[in-house]
Each structure stands twice: as structure tokens, then as C-alpha cells.
Amino acid sequence: VELQKRASRYLRIGSESLMTAAEDLYQQGFISYPRTETERFRPEFQHQPLFQQFASLGDAYPEWSNYANQLLHHGAFQNPRAGQHDDQAHPPITPCKAVDPNTISNPIQRDVYRMVVKHYLACCSRDAVGRETTLSVRLGQEDFHATGLMVLEHNWLEIYRPWERWSTGQGELPHVQVGSRIQPHSLTLKQGRTTPPNNLP
């Protein structure tokens, strides 16, 4: 069910097309059994060999190889959280081998494989870290204020782009130090109007 929800949300793929593509990927050995509801990995599941496979992609697919190296060597790995469901027969839907997705000729299969890989790597990552911040900038004699999120560590969000972003208020704010000077790229003055509410029935 979760796979279908995310495929619909991120890829705009219907359930029938998704499951056909997922079954084909399973038959080819690219992903594990796709019709499971299992949400937890067994303690004996080996994540490191999979990370090593993705790291070995190198320049063929640097987004995944660089991220896998972070999980392997830079303390970015965190054991995936365990959900409630376990069918006792299959692991959560997981990539079974690392391949450059561009070598998968079918576009729907390619997108589904890419989503499964990104989701798996994100599940094995540390939480993102951020803080809500108010940014105040003086431009000439005018003061401008923005409230939003300053992300300190993207962690799992890094691999889950562009599907997931973390923002509050007026969005993600840039990293600046108190008292620092900034160079604005553009200044825009917007006009608008509000309308009164409709009559109560």
C-alpha cells in the first residue's frame, strides 16, 4: 500500500502500472518481492553489501555512489525504523542489486526502481536536523523579516530529493551568520488585493 501511495504521489503512476513494473523488476532480480506488507528488517539483514554495490557504481551514477559512501564511511548510517507489520516471509521492498537506472529501458520500471532505491537509502539514513529561524535583513533604511527553517543537516532529505522537502513558514532559509552582509540578486515589489468573504448561507 505504501509503495502505491508513493508511486502515485511522486511518479503519478496508477496502481496497475506500478505493480506490473514492480513485478517485472522482481522477476529480473532488481528488487525484492513487491507484494509484501512487511515494514521491518530482520536483525540478520545485511545492509553493508548493498551499500558497497551502490558505492561501486562510481561515476556511472554518482548521486547514489556518493551517498552510499557516506553511509559506509562517514557515520551517516542509521538502522531503519521498524514498523508494525511483518509477514514473516519477505523483507520490506528493497533493491536487490545496484544498477545504473539509465540502463533500464522501460521508463516506468526505471522510475519505480529509482524510487525503491531512494526510499531504501533514505530509510537507512539519520534524521534531518534543522531549526526554525527568523531572519532580519536591513536594506538601506528598510528592515525585512522572514520566518522559516534553516536546515543544518539534510541527511535523508539529500537522497530523497526532489520528492521531499522540509520547510516551515516562508520556506527554507539560507545559512547566514549574525552581522554578515548579503548581496541581493533581485528586488521585487508585488501588489495584490484581498477580497471579502462570501455571504453566510
Side-chain angles (χ1 to χ4, degrees), residues 41-76:
F41 288 96
R42 299 287 178 85
E44 63 270 18
F45 189 93
Q46 296 294 313
H47 296 283
Q48 301 297 316
L50 262 178
F51 299 158
Q52 290 166 354
Q53 284 189 45
F54 284 107
S56 70
L57 288 174
D59 292 337
Y61 211 76
E63 178 190 2
W64 292 354
S65 63
N66 293 339
Y67 196 83
N69 273 311
Q70 291 183 43
L71 295 176
L72 283 167
H73 306 298
H74 300 285

Side-chain angles (χ1 to χ4, degrees), residues 159-178:
I159 196 63
Y160 226 66
R161 292 174 179 153
W163 300 323
E164 291 288 349
R165 295 175 61 89
W166 186 20
S167 62
T168 63
Q170 291 168 287
E172 185 175 341
L173 299 178
H175 285 249
V176 293
Q177 299 294 323
V178 174

